Amino acid sequence: MTDRRTLHTAHALCPHCLRQLKADIYADSDGKVWMTRTCPEHGETVTYVWPDAKHYEWLRSMRVVPTAPKCRDYPIDDECPKSCGLCKRHLRRGTLVEIEVTRRCNAKCPVCFMSADFPSDGITFDEIEGLIATLAEKVGPETGLQITGGEPTVRSDLPEIVMCARRHGFTGIEINTNGIVIGRSKKYLQELVDAGITGIYLSFDGIDEEPYEAICGKAAMLADKMACIENCREVGIQVVLCMTIVKGVNDDRVGEVIDFAWENSDVVIGVALQPAFTSGRFEPSEYAPYTAGDTIYALEEQTGGRIKVADIMPLGCSHPLCDTGTFLMPDENGSYIPATRGLSSEEYMQYYDPTSPQGSVLPDILYKKGVNLYRGISVIIMNYMDAMTTTTERMAECSMTVAMKDGRVIPFCSYQMTNSAGERIYEMWGTGPTA
């Protein structure tokens, strides 16, 4: 690659030893964005970052001044991201905190960053209750709470966990699920609703069986997911479809998932698009990321121009390269149109509300602009980081956090971080540090 144009510098990681290194982020002669850094022990690593330099620079220009976390008193005893707690280096408050209530799962999906093969939950109800109490104090019950795993519905006491979170003041409580149990038992779903959940975050990788055969190894999962959506419709609980995008498997199916969500927008309120990232063993020389930027550009093609690149805006609740999206509204033909179309950068900055929850940032801006939002769905594109793509500048602005057993709250991408040998920085619940 010749004709480099440096865009900015940052601090990245060596994928082998996770040492923090100064990185040069640059555009090549084709306008693509790359990041390079050199480890004194392991040499140079070059990572593809974004498909278009102009778009990348525009997103970076849309960074809003962050609101600091309520609590960031963890002592700094190592370089980022090896000393999370949160510490004073963290700049932005969390809008969502995850609690892993089990390491068990009723599926074994090879691309999942969770662990499916554990003999026990790894945490007791009493430990969860104590953790929820700590979270209410450290992050505040106004923060969205996502109960995840593993597969949280394998716990028989999940309704009691939800009620515990309610007692401690949490009002936005979401269950992150594969949909198997909920799809097979509307009665169980009703128990969760009665306990106080406000939404279901459903893994949903396509509208036919092929992606599930490749990603999950279980074609039958699709029927359970469709049944889960129908049960949610019948009991009146909202659903967000979470699509893990794997290059060469379902990266050409994003448009049809958005169409499906629109057709079911009486119950589906959003789509979260998550390009798969590396957690576990990987070979840096063979690393081929599919970024959020690639997803944004694919949207225009796959939706026939109904969603354009310029319609995708940063969400403002985290670094602009981490979370972007739009809000779809009905058009005169019964299809959808992005309500962000024509929203200027100046209007965005004028109406942005730092207290807005992640999925409500753009609707809140549009409402202030006078847009009628009586019906629609949010589309969010989440750009998770791994050892190849992390910059500590982005890590410091993470708004999606994970609750640790000892009461610490750390960025999601820190928690999932592994080096190229699959060794973790942070202990998985119920295991040793590198199991």
Side-chain angles (χ1 to χ4, degrees), residues 85-149:
L86 296 168
C87 74
K88 292 189 183 301
R89 292 178 298 204
H90 204 83
L91 302 178
R92 194 178 294 274
R93 74 178 183 95
T95 57
L96 179 73
V97 61
E98 285 192 350
I99 294 183
E100 294 183 6
V101 298
T102 183
R103 301 306 308 170
R104 296 186 297 131
C105 187
N106 49 9
K108 297 181 181 180
C109 306
V111 305
C112 184
F113 45 69
M114 297 300 178
S115 302
D117 224 1
F118 281 79
S120 67
D121 291 317
I123 186 170
T124 66
F125 179 86
D126 288 342
E127 288 176 312
I128 292 172
E129 186 171 29
L131 184 54
I132 289 173
T134 300
L135 290 176
E137 179 182 349
K138 292 184 69 170
V139 306
E142 68 278 3
T143 304
L145 182 66
Q146 187 177 90
I147 299 176
T148 183

Side-chain angles (χ1 to χ4, degrees), residues 6 30 54 273 286 303:
T6 296
D30 295 324
K54 289 183 179 179
L273 304 174
E286 299 175 358
T303 63

Side-chain angles (χ1 to χ4, degrees), residues 190-383:
Q190 187 64 60
E191 290 178 12
L192 293 175
V193 173
D194 293 342
I197 66 166
T198 55
I200 294 295
Y201 194 75
L202 177 66
S203 60
F204 193 88
D205 301 328
I207 62 172
D208 59 60
E209 295 176 345
E210 187 175 346
Y212 301 99
E213 293 175 351
I215 296 173
C216 305
K218 288 187 176 182
M221 255 191 186
L222 179 62
D224 289 319
K225 292 177 188 297
M226 294 299 188
C228 175
I229 294 170
E230 184 58 36
N231 284 344
C232 288
R233 174 182 281 118
E234 292 183 16
V235 304
I237 194 73
Q238 63 191 24
V239 179
V240 173
L241 303 180
C242 170
M243 182 181 186
T244 300
I245 303 171
V246 181
K247 188 175 182 179
V249 174
N250 64 343
D251 57 305
D252 59 344
R253 297 169 182 261
V254 177
E256 63 187 35
V257 169
I258 291 175
D259 287 344
F260 174 85
W262 183 254
E263 292 163 4
N264 291 275
S265 59
D266 61 315
V267 61
V268 176
I269 65 159
V271 179
L273 304 174
Q274 300 181 356
F277 68 103
T278 299
S279 177
R281 293 180 181 272
F282 62 95
E283 177 52 57
S285 62
E286 299 175 358
Y287 184 88
Y290 182 81
T291 70
D294 296 306
T295 301
I296 291 170
Y297 277 83
L299 277 174
E300 183 161 339
E301 178 183 354
Q302 292 186 33
T303 63
R306 285 176 293 171
I307 301 175
K308 300 183 182 299
V309 171
D311 298 325
I312 304 299
M313 304 289 287
L315 296 189
C317 55
S318 59
H319 193 284
L321 292 171
C322 291
D323 287 308
T324 55
T326 187
F327 187 81
L328 305 181
M329 292 181 56
D331 64 13
E332 63 275 10
N333 300 315
S335 185
Y336 59 77
I337 185 171
T340 50
R341 184 158 297 172
L343 178 68
S344 69
S345 300
E346 293 74 20
E347 288 174 318
Y348 178 98
M349 294 296 186
Q350 177 184 353
Y351 295 125
Y352 170 74
D353 183 351
T355 67
S356 295
Q358 177 175 282
S360 301
V361 172
L362 295 177
D364 287 353
I365 290 172
L366 295 165
Y367 177 79
K368 292 177 183 177
K369 192 184 174 186
V371 178
N372 185 349
L373 299 173
Y374 76 95
R375 178 191 159 211
I377 63 172
S378 292
V379 176
I380 296 175
I381 302 143
M382 308 176 80
N383 197 28

Side-chain angles (χ1 to χ4, degrees), residues 71-86:
C71 183
R72 48 177 181 172
D73 55 1
Y74 194 74
I76 298 174
D77 57 15
D78 206 340
E79 62 187 13
C80 184
K82 298 176 182 177
S83 182
C84 292
L86 296 168

Side-chain angles (χ1 to χ4, degrees), residues 51-62:
D52 183 84
K54 289 183 179 179
H55 187 251
Y56 176 89
E57 291 183 282
W58 173 76
L59 276 177
R60 289 188 69 240
S61 75
M62 293 292 287

